[in-house]
């Protein structure tokens, strides 16, 4: 993978990448509101197809103008996966889910996407399942259940929650495919051709699109064009740009502001404001995401000796060439052999002195 996380000092996020990420969040938040409004006259599959056709045509036009051409062969698996799961599955499931739940609640539930990314990474990339991930998953599941129960729509509300979670899963799988694709192709290429593949995947809804738009108002037509040009073409392009210049974990944290922006936009435009239980459930979902992203603490290693470095070789104990002259300390180091050697040498000197006096 081309991008590598470095130290905080060396890996400063460019201002343009941060601006692109914030613009993406605002446009995606507006998409939740627009889908909720248009979804009354355009069915989920046809809305996804119409949005993707507009977005793909706009992006392919920009690719042609900039003469970027086709991506390298190595980028196509990631582009195809992103197109099918994020542009295809995500958009159909989200459009369908917003028929059964408010825009703000849907945004809160889809906010569990980063948690699902971590979960999939544990299965597919063998990154394991640390305790924070499992705890966060349990908390987010409780939040989703609470949000579903708060809607008061019975089975319909549960279906809406499940569809929004399916959309979050599509987003999670799409991110896993997208990141390696960006190491081989430009953000514009990845977004343009992924949206094209997503549109191809939604072609079975072409008949519905013709029927729905034939009976739709001018406002619905404008809404489809808006979703295709801004929250799809522009927002996914700016997202890919930000992802190519920021660590995925840091960028994922920025997505936490989308539900708040959605609630603020939906209140005056749709007259919707999630209930207290729905807000609490959504907050639990985001709390679960935050818990799952915590790094497990590791036990600190032993402190290095003040006189030696961790990799230093201990100095050998002193050894003397002639045993018995001043003592041999090679075997102990506690002074006992030193005293023994010194005593032996003194005794030998006394014996020589006595023999010399006897000779004299």
């Amino acid at each position: 993978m081309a991008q590598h996380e470095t130290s905080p000092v060396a890996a400063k996020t460019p201002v343009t990448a941060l601006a692109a990420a914030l613009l993406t969040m605002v446009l995606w938040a507006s998409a939740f509101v627009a889908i909720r409004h248009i979804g009354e006259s355009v069915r989920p599959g046809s809305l996804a197809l119409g949005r993707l056709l507009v977005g793909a045509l706009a992006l392919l036009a920009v690719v042609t103008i900039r003469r970027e051409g086709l991506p390298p062969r190595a980028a196509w698996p990631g582009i195809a996966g992103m197109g099918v799961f994020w542009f295809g599955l995500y958009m159909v499931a989200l459009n369908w889910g917003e028929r059964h739940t408010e825009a703000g609640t849907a945004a809160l539930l889809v906010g569990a996407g980063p948690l699902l990314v971590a979960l999939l990474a544990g299965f597919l990339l063998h990154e394991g399942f640390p305790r924070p991930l499992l705890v966060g998953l349990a908390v987010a599941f409780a939040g989703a259940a609470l949000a579903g129960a708060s809607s008061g729509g019975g089975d319909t509300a549960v279906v809406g929650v499940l569809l929004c979670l399916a959309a979050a899963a599509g987003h999670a799988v799409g991110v896993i495919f997208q990141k390696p694709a960006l190491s081989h192709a430009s953000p514009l290429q990845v977004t343009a051709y992924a949206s094209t593949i997503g549109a191809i995947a939604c072609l079975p809804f072409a008949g519905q699109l013709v029927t729905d738009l034939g009976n739709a108002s001018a406002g619905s037509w404008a809404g489809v064009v808006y979703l295709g040009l801004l929250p799809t073409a522009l927002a996914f392009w700016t997202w890919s740009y930000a992802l190519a210049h920021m660590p995925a974990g840091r960028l994922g944290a920025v997505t936490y502001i989308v539900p708040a922006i959605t609630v603020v936009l939906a209140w005056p435009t749709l007259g919707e404001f999630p209930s207290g239980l729905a807000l609490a459930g959504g907050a639990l979902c985001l709390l679960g995401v935050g818990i799952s992203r915590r790094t497990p603490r590791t036990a600190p290693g032993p402190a290095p000796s003040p006189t030696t470095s961790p990799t230093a070789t201990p100095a050998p104990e002193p050894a003397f060439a002639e045993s018995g002259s001043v003592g041999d300390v090679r075997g102990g180091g506690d002074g006992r052999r030193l005293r023994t050697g010194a005593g032996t040498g003194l005794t030998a000197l006394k014996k020589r002195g006595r023999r010399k006096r006897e000779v004299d």
Side-chain angles (χ1 to χ4, degrees), residues 14 20 29 48 55 60 70-71 75 94 124 138 148 169 172 178 187 191 206 208 249 298 310 315 322 330:
L60 289 175
L70 292 173
L94 178 61
L124 301 178
Q178 181 188 27
T191 308
Q208 290 185 4
T298 56
E322 294 184 3
R330 283 175 291 186

Side-chain angles (χ1 to χ4, degrees), residues 199-246:
I200 294 173
C202 292
L203 281 178
F205 301 106
Q208 290 185 4
L209 178 63
V210 173
T211 301
D212 292 345
L213 290 183
N215 300 325
S217 63
S220 296
W221 275 86
V224 173
V225 173
Y226 169 80
L227 285 172
L229 290 179
L230 296 181
T232 302
L234 179 58
F236 277 90
W237 183 8
T238 53
W239 165 269
S240 295
Y241 174 83
L243 188 61
H245 294 82
M246 294 175 63

Side-chain angles (χ1 to χ4, degrees), residues 167-355:
H171 160 258
V173 177
V175 169
I176 289 179
F177 277 106
Q178 181 188 27
K179 185 66 176 177
L182 288 170
S183 64
H184 301 287
S186 71
L188 177 59
Q189 289 175 318
V190 171
T191 308
Y193 291 102
S195 62
T196 302
I197 291 175
I200 294 173
C202 292
L203 281 178
F205 301 106
Q208 290 185 4
L209 178 63
V210 173
T211 301
D212 292 345
L213 290 183
N215 300 325
S217 63
S220 296
W221 275 86
V224 173
V225 173
Y226 169 80
L227 285 172
L229 290 179
L230 296 181
T232 302
L234 179 58
F236 277 90
W237 183 8
T238 53
W239 165 269
S240 295
Y241 174 83
L243 188 61
H245 294 82
M246 294 175 63
R250 191 179 304 171
L251 183 58
V254 181
T255 62
Y256 297 165
I257 67 175
V258 172
I261 299 175
T262 303
V263 171
V264 171
L265 294 176
W267 195 357
T269 56
L270 300 176
E272 293 180 353
F273 193 83
S275 64
L277 285 177
L279 289 174
L284 280 177
C285 286
L286 299 183
L287 177 61
V289 174
I291 292 174
S292 71
R293 300 178 69 85
R294 296 188 61 179
T295 303
R297 294 182 179 180
T298 56
S305 170
T307 58
T308 60
S309 65
T311 58
T313 302
E317 295 179 352
F320 298 90
E322 294 184 3
S323 170
S325 59
V326 291
D328 186 358
V329 298
R330 283 175 291 186
D334 57 358
R336 288 177 292 185
R337 297 192 63 176
L338 176 62
R339 291 192 296 271
T340 302
T344 303
L346 183 59
T347 301
L349 289 174
K350 287 180 178 179
K351 288 181 178 180
R352 288 197 206 101
R354 284 198 298 269
R355 286 197 297 267

Side-chain angles (χ1 to χ4, degrees), residues 3-24:
Q3 289 80 16
H4 300 280
E5 293 191 28
T6 57
S7 64
V9 176
K12 291 183 179 179
T13 301
V15 175
T16 53
L18 184 59
L22 293 177
L23 176 61
T24 302

Side-chain angles (χ1 to χ4, degrees), residues 128-168:
F129 300 93
R131 181 176 298 179
L133 174 60
L134 298 178
V135 174
L137 184 63
V139 172
F141 178 80
L146 184 61
S150 68
S151 299
D155 294 339
T156 301
V158 173
V159 169
V161 170
L162 293 178
L163 287 169
C164 289
L165 292 178

